[in-house]
Amino acid sequence: WLRPSHPEVLASPPSAQASVTLSQLLQLVQQGRELPGLKRRDIAATHGEPTASQLPRRPKPWEAAWATGLADPGVRGEEAPEGAPTHGYGSGQGLEA
Amino acid sequence: MNAAQGGAVRTLRVPGRHGYAAEFSPYLPGRLACAASQHYGIAGCGTLLILDQNESGLRIFRSFDWNDGLFDVTWSENNEHILVTCSGDGSLQVWDTAKAAGPLQVYKEHTQEVYSVDWSQTRGEQLVVSGSWDQTVKLWDPTVGKSLCTFRGHESVIYSTIWSPHIPGCFASASGDQTLRIWDVKAAGVRIVVPAHQAEILSCDWCKYNENLLVTGAVDCSLRGWDLRNVRQPVFELLGHTYAIRRVKFSPFHASVLASCSYDFTVRFWNFSKPDPLLETVEHHTEFTCGLDLSLQSPTQVADCAWDETIKIYDPVCLTMPA
């Protein structure tokens, strides 16, 4: 149940904040020692019915843009979309404004 | 809500849990799911956290434990209560945020770690794809206990599987075999194989405003853009990260803006259409930053999570200030 670590993992510098640093943990694993606070669970599916949805699907920002056909002032150039949102999602538009 | 006007970073510290993925709810503004693992996902249990943000910060609405580390999470697109996670034990879990106990269902078919899970984005389809270290992608109807289809072809572990936001039945996968692959559910096979990097590819995503454009993020520290009409060479390359790129996502609001997070602890924001594409480098984590999402409700809001046991929601200056 121990999984091989990604190469980058081994390059991790120690962290001052984490409860057990990654390098400490890997050392414990390599030494075959017990890991502190290791949680062993035995959770199984409840097979309950999903709670019924009460909210309609919200259009994605790109769907709203295409539906209204409005242009986004923040997007220019070759990759400009057919349209992009200019309303309904608050302020903060205009990366290039 | 504007960082430049003093909007604070909201931080939640989750002792003993290392964040792997963060995803905003497509329904509820300010609700965030975080898939996390004990002991960096190397040993122990996993936890799915459902968070709500308020004026004072982030609070935990629900916390669900699973037997093994959780590596990715995706929200349902037809029920605001439902999410799917994937786990180190090869299983997928279906969760209901309205219930205190879970999961509702567990689907175990993958034979190794499941590293990615994604719910379809196009209307009229409610399908989930999962990508695993067993080198297969599986297609699921979450109401059915068995996978609908298994896609083979990758020659190494799969790190990322993402549905096209525009083309029904089409998804992309990124793998340790250094390829990006585009798959067609109806043809039950691969459409395009892109040898995108000479390194493991840990992440990929689709542009929301150009159905032919994808981005890949790899262990070689580069992000590359790919136009599916001609994949012989990338249409852009973004350099700046100093360790492997763990996750990349296009903006839901801007055609040429994207965000990436890395083993170099940073989150970077880019505009590939600019001569100087790096917009901002956020350095607020002290460990590998693995989870990243851009809000669907607020054009300025971003969430990330890292192995420093923190989850953060913030408004990066580059998204709040005109350049």
Side-chain angles (χ1 to χ4, degrees):
Chain A
W1 48 275
L2 287 171
R3 54 184 56 89
S5 47
H6 200 268
E8 279 68 30
V9 167
L10 301 169
S12 171
S15 162
Q17 287 190 357
S19 307
V20 180
T21 67
L22 187 52
S23 52
Q24 286 170 344
L25 184 80
L26 291 171
Q27 209 165 25
L28 292 172
V29 168
Q30 281 163 3
Q31 292 167 354
R33 287 163 61 187
E34 194 168 322
L35 303 180
L38 191 66
K39 293 277 196 301
R40 293 179 192 283
R41 303 275 197 233
D42 191 18
I43 297 160
T46 64
H47 300 292
E49 284 297 313
T51 303
S53 173
Q54 292 176 321
L55 296 177
R57 182 189 193 277
R58 297 174 76 119
K60 306 294 180 192
W62 56 92
E63 292 172 343
W66 288 29
T68 56
L70 297 172
D72 180 357
V75 177
R76 294 188 190 122
E78 292 180 358
E79 299 297 338
E82 295 176 41
T86 56
H87 64 93
Y89 296 95
S91 59
Q93 299 282 346
L95 280 160
E96 295 175 296
Chain B
M1 295 298 290
N2 188 322
Q5 294 168 0
V9 176
R10 293 163 195 194
T11 301
L12 181 73
R13 189 168 154 77
V14 189
R17 292 295 178 277
H18 300 114
Y20 265 82
E23 293 287 328
F24 282 106
S25 164
Y27 285 93
L28 301 174
R31 180 160 286 188
L32 184 76
C34 178
S37 296
Q38 197 187 12
H39 290 319
Y40 310 92
I42 294 167
C45 72
T47 303
L48 171 64
L49 297 153
I50 310 298
L51 311 177
D52 285 326
Q53 52 180 315
N54 53 32
E55 289 308 309
S56 57
L58 282 172
R59 69 176 190 92
I60 296 178
F61 172 71
R62 290 261 190 249
S63 173
F64 300 106
D65 274 357
W66 178 245
N67 304 330
D68 206 317
L70 296 179
F71 295 145
D72 201 9
V73 58
T74 187
W75 287 94
S76 165
E77 294 289 342
N78 67 351
N79 185 324
E80 68 274 18
H81 307 296
I82 301 298
L83 313 91
V84 177
T85 55
C86 60
S87 168
D89 60 11
S91 68
L92 274 63
Q93 301 77 33
V94 182
W95 306 90
D96 185 334
T97 60
K99 298 176 194 282
L104 294 181
Q105 304 292 344
V106 177
Y107 302 145
K108 187 174 184 322
E109 288 189 24
H110 286 294
T111 57
Q112 292 184 51
E113 288 87 339
V114 190
Y115 234 54
S116 67
V117 68
D118 194 39
W119 195 295
S120 50
Q121 297 287 299
T122 47
R123 286 168 181 272
E125 280 183 337
Q126 303 299 333
L127 298 169
V128 169
V129 282
S130 59
S132 168
W133 287 21
D134 69 11
Q135 307 185 10
T136 69
V137 175
K138 285 182 183 282
L139 178 71
W140 308 82
D141 172 344
T143 63
V144 175
K146 279 171 59 180
S147 66
L148 303 174
C149 186
T150 301
F151 297 86
R152 298 173 205 279
H154 273 301
E155 294 169 5
S156 181
V157 300
I158 296 166
Y159 291 111
S160 180
T161 42
I162 306 283
W163 288 102
S164 165
H166 297 293
I167 309 164
C170 177
F171 66 89
S173 61
S175 164
D177 70 8
Q178 311 181 353
T179 66
L180 167 73
R181 294 179 192 231
I182 312 300
W183 306 80
D184 182 352
V185 165
K186 292 176 209 76
V190 72
R191 263 183 59 211
I192 304 171
V193 180
V194 186
H197 296 259
Q198 290 181 306
E200 288 195 276
I201 307 171
L202 304 186
S203 185
C204 60
D205 195 27
W206 297 83
C207 178
K208 306 303 181 280
Y209 296 93
N210 177 344
E211 68 174 19
N212 291 306
L213 185 64
L214 288 99
V215 63
T216 49
V219 170
D220 63 13
C221 309
S222 74
L223 294 160
R224 288 180 180 170
W226 301 97
D227 187 322
L228 294 180
R229 293 165 295 187
N230 181 1
V231 296
R232 263 189 264 174
Q233 56 190 26
V235 290
F236 63 82
E237 183 174 53
L238 304 173
L239 301 173
H241 279 296
T242 56
Y243 277 98
I245 293 162
R246 180 61 180 79
R247 202 178 293 271
V248 57
K249 286 193 178 173
F250 269 105
S251 165
F253 292 94
H254 298 281
S256 58
V257 171
L258 45 93
S260 56
C261 63
S262 164
Y263 287 81
D264 68 11
F265 306 178
T266 70
V267 178
R268 292 177 200 243
F269 294 87
W270 314 80
N271 186 337
F272 69 78
S273 70
K274 290 195 166 191
D276 189 7
L278 180 59
L279 300 175
E280 186 174 349
T281 301
V282 174
E283 300 178 273
H284 60 197
H285 285 292
T286 58
E287 256 294 352
F288 298 160
T289 307
C290 293
L292 175 66
D293 199 21
L294 291 88
S295 170
L296 291 164
Q297 327 281 350
S298 159
T300 63
Q301 198 168 70
V302 176
D304 61 37
C305 63
W307 288 10
D308 60 11
E309 308 182 341
T310 65
I311 303 160
K312 293 176 187 285
I313 294 185
Y314 55 104
D315 297 273
V317 174
C318 68
L319 298 186
T320 57
M321 293 288 287

